[in-house]
Amino acid sequence: MTAATSAVTSPASPRHTVDLGDLRQRLLAHPIYAMVDSPERLRRFMEHHVFAVWDFQSLLVALQQKLTCTTLPWIPTPDREARRLVNEIVLDEQSDELPDGTHASHFELYLDCMRQAGADTGPVETLLTLLAAGIPLDRALDEARVPAAAATFVRTSFAIIASGSAHKIVAAFAYGREDVIPEMFRPLVVALAAHDPHSWERLRFYLERHIEADDEKHGPMCRRIVASLCGDDAGKWADASATARGSLEARLDLWDAMLPELDRGENASC
């Protein structure tokens, strides 16, 4: 591995790797983290990023449907290890324990963070209302007035889900989310600690929970599932690499599109 490329070797299949190119390094070096340095910029960031928080849960459910049995009658799925790992991730992501002893999904926690920060939750709540009413996703994204870049990001995730390919879905989840989130969020935690920590303490808790869970548990779990699903199939490893790169490219595109929005928000408050 060099500074310009990133190839993640499978512990189960050491001959195979997930080739990320330089995308992981580019994502971690993105200027957006340093720009989230004021309450107004934080609010603009959250109003776009919340849709990535939401579709993360959809990727997770797709993973659960592929690797565990969620239909009746129940039939044990063949990969016992993957079943266990996925169910552990679902428990943490959808029913995490909060500091006050209650439980919530990380998405619900993020909405609480947005409200505490004074960010606009209207578009994402409208999206959920439309989806609950049976409106198709594409139409709901338009009617809810989801920011264009965030809507494109969500559509990319759902295209991977629609592929129906378990190893592609796991690759997107593992390398586009769980593997990169800890390092991606650490600069934001540092920035929040330096600016009005009381107002942003709930968001810091959210970020720190993600860093802890993804770095120590979820990331390694997901990489093991990728290795298990791909085995010694070179074609599946190539699919996993392409899907992982596509997920990282989608995040880079989202971050790039958000940069002028952060400036716009800051200038509007001056």
Side-chain angles (χ1 to χ4, degrees), residues 194-207:
H195 296 87
D196 194 3
H198 175 71
S199 295
W200 296 350
E201 70 176 321
R202 200 165 185 85
L203 179 59
R204 281 189 63 194
F205 172 78
Y206 166 86
L207 295 174

Side-chain angles (χ1 to χ4, degrees), residues 55-56 59 152-162 172 177 247 250:
D55 81 351
F56 172 94
L59 273 173
T152 297
F153 184 89
V154 169
R155 289 185 172 105
T156 298
S157 297
F158 274 83
I160 295 169
I161 292 170
R177 305 297 179 107
S247 298

Side-chain angles (χ1 to χ4, degrees), residues 165-185:
S165 172
H167 64 283
K168 291 181 181 179
I169 295 169
V170 179
F173 192 83
Y175 297 102
R177 305 297 179 107
E178 301 290 63
D179 178 67
V180 74
I181 279 175
E183 290 186 55
M184 190 169 64
F185 279 172

Side-chain angles (χ1 to χ4, degrees), residues 70-89:
T70 57
T71 58
L72 296 174
W74 181 83
I75 300 172
T77 49
D79 193 329
R80 301 177 183 182
E81 177 83 356
R83 188 194 318 152
R84 169 73 184 196
L85 297 180
V86 169
N87 283 332
E88 284 190 30
I89 296 171

Side-chain angles (χ1 to χ4, degrees), residues 15 24 37 52 60 80 83 101 113 117 127 133 140 144 157 160 162 176 186 197 249 251 254 257 260:
R15 292 178 299 168
R24 192 175 190 276
D37 60 359
L60 176 56
R80 301 177 183 182
R83 188 194 318 152
C113 296
L127 175 66
S157 297
I160 295 169
R186 280 191 181 100
E249 287 168 350
R251 177 78 69 164
L254 176 62

Side-chain angles (χ1 to χ4, degrees), residues 91-98 102-106 205 209:
L91 177 64
D92 286 344
E93 295 291 348
Q94 295 187 358
S95 303
D96 202 2
E97 184 171 357
L98 305 185
T102 62
H103 298 83
S105 70
H106 286 179
F205 172 78
R209 285 294 292 155

Side-chain angles (χ1 to χ4, degrees), residues 3-42:
T5 62
S6 177
V8 184
T9 302
S10 159
S13 303
R15 292 178 299 168
H16 298 287
T17 61
V18 172
D19 181 8
L20 305 178
D22 67 345
L23 291 166
R24 192 175 190 276
Q25 286 83 356
R26 286 170 53 199
L27 182 59
L28 297 179
H30 200 278
I32 197 168
Y33 313 113
M35 284 192 66
V36 183
D37 60 359
S38 72
E40 185 61 29
R41 284 179 170 174
L42 175 66

